[in-house]
Amino acid sequence: MPELRVLVVDDEPGMLEVCTDILRELPGVRVVAESDSTRARTLLDGGTWDLLMTDLCMPDVDGLQLLRAAREQDPELPVLMLTAFPSVETAVESMKHGAADYLTKPFLPDDLLHTVQRLLDSRQLRAENRLLRRQVERGHTFGEMIGQSAAMQAVFELIDRVACSDVDVLITGETGTGKELVARSIHQRSQRAGGRFVPVDCGAIPEELLESQLFGHERGAFTGAHTRSMGLLEFAHRGTFFMDEIAQLAPRLQAKLLRALQERRIRRVGSTQELDVDVRILAATALDLQAEVTAQRFRMDLFYRINVAHVHLPALRQRVEDIPSLAAHFLTRYGAEMQRTGMQLDGGALEVLCGYSWPGNVRELQNVIKRSIALARRECIRVEDLPEHIVTAAAVPGTGEGPGFFDLRDQHVANFEQEYLRQLLKSCRGNISQAAGEARLPRGTFYRLLGRHGLDPSSYR
């Protein structure tokens, strides 16, 4: 993890030496000691800190003034107050201005160590929680991977093989096939399963924000950067970092990401310090990344860097035999959520689902089942409960070569419209206003219907 910086301020050189010696026992902590409180205030303004320890009574700038200055620069910076003259008033005043804790001199080394470690841990936890709230813990595309088809069995076997190694993996497949679910499965079966799984959608975040999201930033790095922020790559340390829609990454960020992946070191925006990160990269795209390389929209060296292992997900239309089990899974899952347990598909509805091409893949099937559960009048979902565009587009096998139900329906509707309009014009003697009024249609709609069926009102006058 990156180095944590602690600023210790006290006008007694002996106390500074004692604090520095004690805090050296904390791993990954750099201590900066300062006996001049005026210089300490300058250090606060010009640097990024994880903890301020300050004596309360000092000449020139006292501890409370340093506390106020620190809280102005970074409202979340923990401040530990030290004093040899304890009183209820000074303790209350310190806490009122935002001090995190208060120690009385002389103190035991263990007391100082435990207090500082607790405050640093709390600061790290708050930073991590902000990241979690922002975007890390997104929901799964669907609850679990399902597939008895040969194509999906091959995918499962490949996941098991690549999960055992620590190589970076490129996951490809059309939108809605479940690429993030594959990434999560690889993570859960890998040696990094105890670490974090951190996803980011490269196509959903504007370029100017994505760099800060990936690499983090220092306070003051750009307008609005009031505090230091941990990046997602840093947050994924010792875990798995999943970059969805990596083909959408801007060229400038492709170059910076390539360097980070090659060296496993990152630099926050606005910082000159490099941080070591230990992450496994899983990348996904719905585009043909090789074609993007040929078109010079994606760096060839980055493509080869992430394409160490490759998992391709078949489209749902290429594994039709999995549709019944996927539909049954979604019926159980969303039926329970909507308190409509026991929902089933009748044979006709299932036949329609299996005959549809599913351009939106598993995600589209998931949404169709959810909608059908919500709208079905019975516990058994029938053809009429499915969206009409799916029923119309489905290629359902038949015994004859003539027109199907929907072709005949459209033909009968057209015949009805034409005969109805002809009789209406005849009875109204070609009067458009009267005919539209009797049909309860706007004049514009009535004219469009007449044009569709080639009817001339003047021939009925």
Side-chain angles (χ1 to χ4, degrees):
M1 289 298 287
E3 187 179 64
L4 301 176
R5 304 180 73 219
V6 177
L7 178 61
V8 183
V9 186
D10 199 301
D11 60 333
E12 298 179 21
M15 179 54 64
L16 282 179
E17 187 176 348
V18 168
C19 290
T20 302
D21 288 342
I22 293 173
L23 295 180
R24 280 191 184 130
E25 296 183 27
L26 295 175
V29 174
R30 180 188 174 196
V31 179
V32 177
E34 180 54 66
S35 59
D36 187 326
S37 57
T38 302
R39 285 202 300 266
R41 181 161 187 171
T42 302
L43 287 173
L44 277 174
D45 291 340
T48 300
W49 304 93
D50 295 288
L51 175 66
L52 169 64
M53 282 176 51
T54 177
D55 188 23
L56 188 59
C57 299
M58 295 181 294
D60 299 327
V61 180
D62 65 21
L64 285 179
Q65 289 174 301
L66 275 182
L67 170 60
R68 284 194 289 269
R71 300 294 288 178
E72 287 175 5
Q73 290 295 327
D74 184 353
E76 294 188 354
L77 178 67
V79 180
L80 175 61
M81 306 299 294
L82 308 175
T83 183
F85 309 100
S87 69
V88 173
E89 290 78 11
T90 55
V92 169
E93 188 71 10
S94 298
M95 297 302 176
K96 187 169 70 176
H97 284 87
D101 214 333
Y102 187 97
L103 281 181
T104 302
K105 302 176 186 178
F107 42 75
L108 295 173
D110 282 350
D111 289 343
L112 179 61
L113 279 175
H114 293 154
T115 301
V116 169
Q117 186 68 70
R118 174 173 54 81
L119 295 178
L120 291 175
D121 288 346
S122 177
R123 179 170 173 82
Q124 286 291 100
L125 185 61
R126 283 197 299 272
E128 291 174 1
N129 283 340
R130 279 201 306 273
L131 281 168
L132 287 169
R133 287 194 301 269
R134 192 164 70 219
Q135 73 182 89
V136 168
E137 291 303 326
R138 296 187 301 171
H140 291 190
T141 305
F142 52 90
E144 59 186 51
M145 297 188 75
I146 294 174
Q148 292 114 8
S149 63
M152 286 307 293
Q153 290 299 311
V155 169
F156 297 157
E157 182 184 350
L158 187 54
I159 287 173
D160 280 334
R161 279 191 283 143
V162 301
C164 297
S165 66
D166 204 38
V167 298
D168 296 336
V169 182
L170 177 64
I171 306 166
T172 58
E174 295 180 6
T175 299
T177 49
K179 295 185 289 295
E180 181 172 336
L181 194 60
V182 170
R184 289 184 182 272
S185 297
I186 292 173
H187 170 72
Q188 290 160 5
R189 289 165 172 78
S190 72
Q191 297 176 352
R192 296 175 178 265
R196 298 185 182 94
F197 177 85
V198 182
V200 63
D201 188 338
C202 301
I205 305 173
E207 178 187 349
E208 58 272 16
L209 298 179
L210 185 56
E211 182 177 13
S212 171
Q213 291 275 307
L214 294 178
F215 300 98
H217 64 259
E218 296 290 347
R219 177 171 58 84
F222 50 83
T223 303
H226 301 302
T227 61
R228 186 180 73 183
S229 177
M230 183 189 300
L232 293 174
L233 276 163
E234 182 181 346
F235 186 67
H237 184 65
R238 295 199 179 96
T240 303
F241 189 58
F242 174 57
M243 303 187 71
D244 198 6
E245 298 304 337
I246 194 170
Q248 304 296 327
L249 207 59
R252 181 176 65 86
L253 292 183
Q254 290 180 30
K256 187 168 182 178
L257 176 65
L258 175 64
R259 184 173 184 275
L261 298 187
Q262 287 173 336
E263 302 183 9
R264 288 310 198 249
R265 294 175 66 84
I266 63 168
R267 183 183 297 152
R268 296 192 190 109
V269 178
S271 174
T272 57
Q273 180 185 11
E274 288 194 330
L275 307 172
D276 292 325
V277 289
D278 174 17
V279 294
R280 181 185 194 179
I281 301 296
L282 306 179
T285 179
L287 299 179
D288 182 343
L289 212 52
Q290 185 69 67
E292 294 297 300
V293 170
T294 302
Q296 298 185 343
R297 289 188 291 266
F298 197 83
R299 293 180 64 107
M300 180 182 295
D301 44 8
L302 180 57
F303 170 70
Y304 289 121
R305 186 66 189 79
I306 60 175
N307 192 27
V308 181
H310 181 202
V311 177
H312 179 73
L313 274 172
L316 186 55
R317 64 183 173 276
Q318 296 169 333
R319 54 184 186 110
V320 175
E321 58 267 46
D322 290 332
I323 291 176
S325 53
L326 284 166
H329 168 73
F330 293 138
L331 279 171
T332 302
R333 176 180 172 184
Y334 295 115
E337 287 183 10
M338 299 180 192
Q339 298 182 341
R340 298 197 67 180
T341 56
M343 295 294 293
Q344 295 180 342
L345 280 167
D346 76 0
L350 184 57
E351 192 174 26
V352 168
L353 295 182
C354 291
Y356 182 61
S357 62
W358 299 108
N361 291 293
V362 178
R363 187 180 296 126
E364 185 181 6
L365 173 63
Q366 178 184 17
N367 292 333
V368 166
I369 296 296
K370 189 188 297 187
R371 173 193 181 276
S372 300
I373 293 172
L375 299 182
R377 297 181 180 88
R378 297 163 294 274
E379 289 188 354
C380 187
I381 295 174
R382 301 181 180 179
V383 172
E384 56 264 33
D385 299 315
L386 299 175
E388 186 173 337
H389 75 277
I390 287 180
V391 180
T392 304
V396 179
T399 56
E401 297 181 357
F405 167 78
F406 291 102
D407 293 328
L408 292 173
R409 183 195 65 178
D410 293 342
Q411 181 180 331
H412 282 293
V413 168
N415 291 338
F416 161 76
E417 287 181 357
Q418 189 176 49
E419 185 60 27
Y420 175 81
L421 293 172
R422 186 183 289 112
Q423 294 297 328
L424 190 59
L425 287 172
K426 185 177 180 181
S427 65
C428 296
R429 298 184 179 181
N431 187 317
I432 295 294
S433 297
Q434 183 182 350
E438 289 191 18
R440 299 178 186 175
L441 291 173
R443 284 172 60 94
T445 301
F446 195 79
Y447 271 116
R448 281 195 295 274
L449 287 171
L450 293 179
R452 180 188 302 170
H453 295 286
L455 297 174
D456 182 6
S458 61
S459 62
Y460 293 91
R461 292 172 186 155

